[in-house]
Amino acid sequence: MFFINSASRRHLWIPNQDQGWQVSDCTAEGLKCCLLLSVMPPEIVGGKIEPERLYDVINVLLSLQSKNGGISAWEPAGTSKWLELLNPSELFKDVFSEQQYVECTASAIDALILFKKLHPGHRKQEIENFIRKAVQYFEEIQRPDGSWYGNWGICFTYATWFALRGLTAASKTYHNCLAVRKAANFLLKLQLDDGGRGESYISCLAKKFTPLEGNRSNLVQTAWTLMWLIHSGLKETQHLFTEQQSS
């Protein structure tokens, strides 16, 4: 699960230990898992990871935040956009040059808030500044229709689910945050007649929401959307759905 970078002596979570390079969202999700395990009975999950190893992870996450508050995937953002000319992907757009990602930023917020709760004395002010800037990043890059563009999944559905997860972890809800309300309204407008949601991979390339051919629903994307509603603080969802459809 861990890789020790011989140059920096940092313990990093990575998706493939043989690959030898950290990925911020995998690092954040791994951190959150270990934090959750740390509050469970050791006779069930085993012993806790040494705090110093968790502190190394915090160092990595904090180091990857850009000036605009977003967090990159592998290294601090700053590569040239011309590298996208070498992008071999037929699905993912603008992923060959390092930049800030909604998905990575949301995972980092979620993990850091839990870390701050369980380890309140470690780099508290820096973590709070990180979270504040990350929330501002979400608010500033939100699209006029209330969605966010996703780089690592399809596409506006995927990223908006992540953004709402990060915002609500930072105590932003439908009732106190305009960005969350705009995202929830985006969600409500996209419900199909069968109750589901469906988004085509073409959204990734066109950077415009594109429904599945034939206005079909997709089970996974519908599940993401339900989690949107849960995270946004909406409780009377059926009432809201009915109002939206009648209008």
Side-chain angles (χ1 to χ4, degrees):
M1 185 176 185
F2 291 100
F3 174 81
I4 302 177
N5 186 311
S6 59
S8 63
R9 300 296 297 172
R10 296 182 300 192
H11 304 265
L12 311 176
W13 276 287
I14 54 176
N16 181 340
Q17 197 172 53
D18 295 330
Q19 178 250 78
W21 197 254
Q22 80 276 0
V23 182
S24 61
D25 55 345
C26 298
T27 299
E29 298 293 345
L31 172 62
K32 184 176 179 180
C33 287
C34 289
L35 292 170
L36 291 172
L37 290 172
S38 73
V39 298
M40 297 177 66
E43 59 270 20
I44 297 177
V45 300
K48 298 180 182 180
I49 293 176
E50 300 89 338
E52 290 73 19
R53 302 185 78 175
L54 302 180
Y55 298 164
D56 286 335
V57 175
I58 299 303
N59 295 341
V60 172
L61 293 177
L62 295 181
S63 74
L64 292 174
Q65 188 174 45
S66 300
K67 291 182 179 179
N68 66 358
I71 186 172
S72 50
W74 293 281
E75 59 188 1
T79 50
S80 301
K81 287 297 183 182
W82 67 261
L83 288 171
E84 290 300 333
L85 297 173
L86 307 177
N87 186 351
S89 172
E90 296 180 354
L91 172 59
F92 299 122
K93 190 175 179 65
D94 297 337
V95 296
F96 212 63
S97 56
E98 190 65 302
Q99 57 182 297
Q100 301 81 26
Y101 300 104
V102 169
E103 303 95 314
C104 297
T105 305
S107 292
I109 292 176
D110 203 10
L112 287 172
I113 286 175
L114 180 58
F115 176 85
K116 185 165 70 79
K117 178 180 178 181
L118 298 179
H119 298 266
H122 184 75
R123 302 189 70 174
K124 178 181 178 181
Q125 190 59 55
E126 293 165 276
I127 291 173
E128 290 178 350
N129 290 339
F130 180 104
I131 294 167
R132 175 182 53 79
K133 291 173 61 178
V135 168
Q136 291 176 350
Y137 166 75
F138 282 141
E139 293 172 339
E140 290 172 0
I141 70 164
Q142 187 178 30
R143 296 166 68 93
D145 64 1
S147 67
W148 286 269
Y149 177 82
N151 291 87
W152 300 109
I154 302 174
C155 170
F156 297 100
T157 309
Y158 184 72
T160 304
W161 165 49
F162 264 96
L164 283 174
R165 177 184 160 194
L167 287 170
T168 54
S171 300
K172 304 295 183 181
T173 71
Y174 184 89
H175 306 290
N176 66 15
C177 178
L178 176 60
V180 174
R181 289 195 295 274
K182 290 170 63 177
N185 291 334
F186 171 76
L187 158 68
L188 295 172
K189 291 177 181 178
L190 296 179
Q191 188 177 33
L192 300 174
D193 291 341
D194 64 0
R197 297 288 190 284
E199 183 179 4
S200 168
Y201 75 93
I202 296 173
S203 294
C204 302
L205 303 175
K207 291 193 172 183
K208 179 181 179 181
F209 182 88
T210 307
L212 284 171
E213 185 177 357
N215 279 332
R216 293 178 290 112
S217 290
N218 177 278
L219 178 63
V220 173
Q221 292 172 345
T222 302
W224 288 341
T225 340
L226 288 174
M227 286 190 282
W228 284 8
L229 290 170
I230 294 169
H231 286 301
S232 65
L234 295 175
K235 295 183 178 179
E236 299 178 358
T237 55
Q238 184 59 47
H239 171 68
L240 290 168
F241 273 118
T242 302
E243 281 190 353
Q244 183 65 47
Q245 290 174 336
S246 64
S247 62

